[in-house]
Amino acid sequence: MAETVRSAAKIDQLERILEFVRSCAARAGFSGRRIIDLELAVEEAMVNICRYAYTEHSGEVEVACLQEPGGILRIEIVDRGRPFNLLNAEKPVFECDIGRQQLGGLGIHIIRNMVDDIRYRREGDKNRLTLVLHDRKQNSPSTPDPAGPGR
Amino acid sequence: MDTEKIGDVRIVRLQGRLGEVSAPQFEDRMKEMIEEGEVLFVVDLGGLEYISSAGLRSILSTAKELKKLDGLLFLSDLRGPVKEVFEISHFVDIFRIFGSVQEALEAMPR
């Protein structure tokens, strides 16, 4: 069973999207803590799309929640913005000093740590990002490399 | 968020969520207090349930500003998901974090 919400790719729509994934995860029986992990991953992915996907014109984003057997939730986030594979994003550099620590690059790092699997596919003019969460946190992919060359 | 002054230290208590939507308000409020001359802060995260990268950036950016002014920003009472986000982002390595506001206050220079 899939539920879908479509909205403008704007930050002011973020709360509505988060409310949507929150209720999907609650219906799927996810724990409160795991729902927060999901919200974090979706917030970071949505913010990336709202900021960077549509640079010349406004656009839409579609978010689908699919419940799969075995306590698995699959979130599909689709936009028609410029191609962006976040699996190729560079990992942030962690400094040991406030003055040196850079402000950027943390969002994608947070996504990687909150979900069990991330997939990306460019389909025609669409970016399709798939986030997979188990209702219990598995070994989190803190140093994953699921995007082999040629995907 | 609510704030309280104890001696020279401004305690800032955050509640609920610090994400893309709420982080700018926190950062603006902190900027105002810094402009009013405050340089010593304890930010109590005990009531915070959710923090995203936007929230982390707002705290880091405030701490960077304070560092230029020889100020200090200590954090207290990280819990649950907030603690986890601080850990995976290695922010636990760059901030001074205490179990309670009281412990943070005791560590402030007098």
Side-chain angles (χ1 to χ4, degrees):
Chain A
M1 187 184 68
E3 295 172 79
T4 304
V5 67
R6 198 172 279 124
S7 89
K10 302 257 186 227
I11 295 294
D12 63 11
Q13 297 297 307
L14 180 62
E15 282 305 323
R16 192 164 77 89
I17 302 280
L18 292 181
E19 173 56 36
F20 168 74
V21 296
R22 198 152 52 218
S23 64
C24 291
R27 276 198 299 280
F30 275 47
S31 70
R33 179 66 186 265
R34 204 65 183 118
I35 292 174
I36 287 179
D37 294 343
L38 169 67
E39 283 187 67
L40 273 170
V42 172
E43 170 172 333
E44 302 295 355
M46 286 293 303
V47 167
N48 262 314
I49 291 168
C50 295
R51 288 241 175 88
Y52 307 116
Y54 299 103
T55 44
E56 316 226 315
H57 56 90
S58 56
E60 285 202 328
V61 61
E62 189 181 295
V63 179
C65 278
L66 301 97
Q67 200 179 329
E68 295 183 344
I72 294 170
L73 207 58
R74 201 170 88 223
I75 311 290
E76 305 265 354
I77 305 177
V78 177
D79 68 74
R80 292 175 183 268
R82 60 192 175 98
F84 176 64
N85 182 352
L86 60 72
L87 294 167
N88 292 339
E90 281 187 28
K91 292 207 178 99
V93 176
F94 297 110
E95 304 285 352
C96 49
D97 179 86
I98 284 170
R100 293 165 60 102
Q101 179 61 53
Q102 298 206 340
L103 292 163
L106 291 167
I108 291 169
H109 180 71
I110 288 177
I111 299 176
R112 286 175 184 273
N113 279 276
M114 294 299 144
V115 304
D116 295 290
D117 193 19
I118 311 175
R119 296 193 282 269
Y120 169 81
R121 216 164 58 200
R122 183 72 181 173
E123 297 173 345
D125 65 345
K126 295 179 183 168
N127 293 302
R128 178 181 296 276
L129 179 68
T130 305
L131 306 174
V132 179
L133 279 91
H134 299 242
D135 63 359
R136 285 215 191 92
K137 193 170 258 185
Q138 314 284 303
N139 292 328
S140 65
S142 53
T143 52
D145 191 20
R151 268 186 61 164
Chain B
M1 95 185 216
D2 62 78
T3 84
E4 177 190 1
K5 188 94 180 244
I6 297 184
D8 293 331
V9 184
R10 176 65 64 177
I11 322 278
V12 177
R13 293 194 175 83
L14 293 183
Q15 257 134 32
R17 301 166 73 92
L18 196 61
E20 186 66 27
V21 175
S22 46
Q25 295 157 23
F26 164 74
E27 204 175 325
D28 287 350
R29 184 76 188 91
M30 292 298 285
K31 264 190 200 130
E32 282 172 24
M33 290 189 280
I34 293 168
E35 277 164 18
E36 288 160 12
E38 309 258 10
V39 289
L40 301 178
F41 289 89
V42 174
V43 179
D44 178 17
L45 305 183
L48 203 62
E49 293 153 10
Y50 177 101
I51 189 166
S52 72
S53 68
L56 290 179
R57 276 197 303 277
S58 67
I59 294 176
L60 178 58
S61 143
T62 304
K64 280 175 180 284
E65 194 56 40
L66 283 167
K67 195 177 162 121
K68 286 185 218 153
L69 302 168
D70 286 327
L72 288 171
L73 188 157
F74 291 172
L75 301 172
S76 73
D77 203 8
L78 275 69
R79 300 171 186 210
V82 172
K83 189 173 182 191
E84 186 187 347
V85 169
F86 266 81
E87 283 166 355
I88 63 175
S89 309
H90 298 255
F91 271 40
V92 287
D93 302 329
I94 57 173
F95 280 93
R96 290 194 64 188
I97 299 172
F98 298 86
S100 66
V101 170
Q102 191 55 41
E103 286 170 42
L105 282 173
E106 283 162 13
M108 279 283 176
R110 282 157 205 283

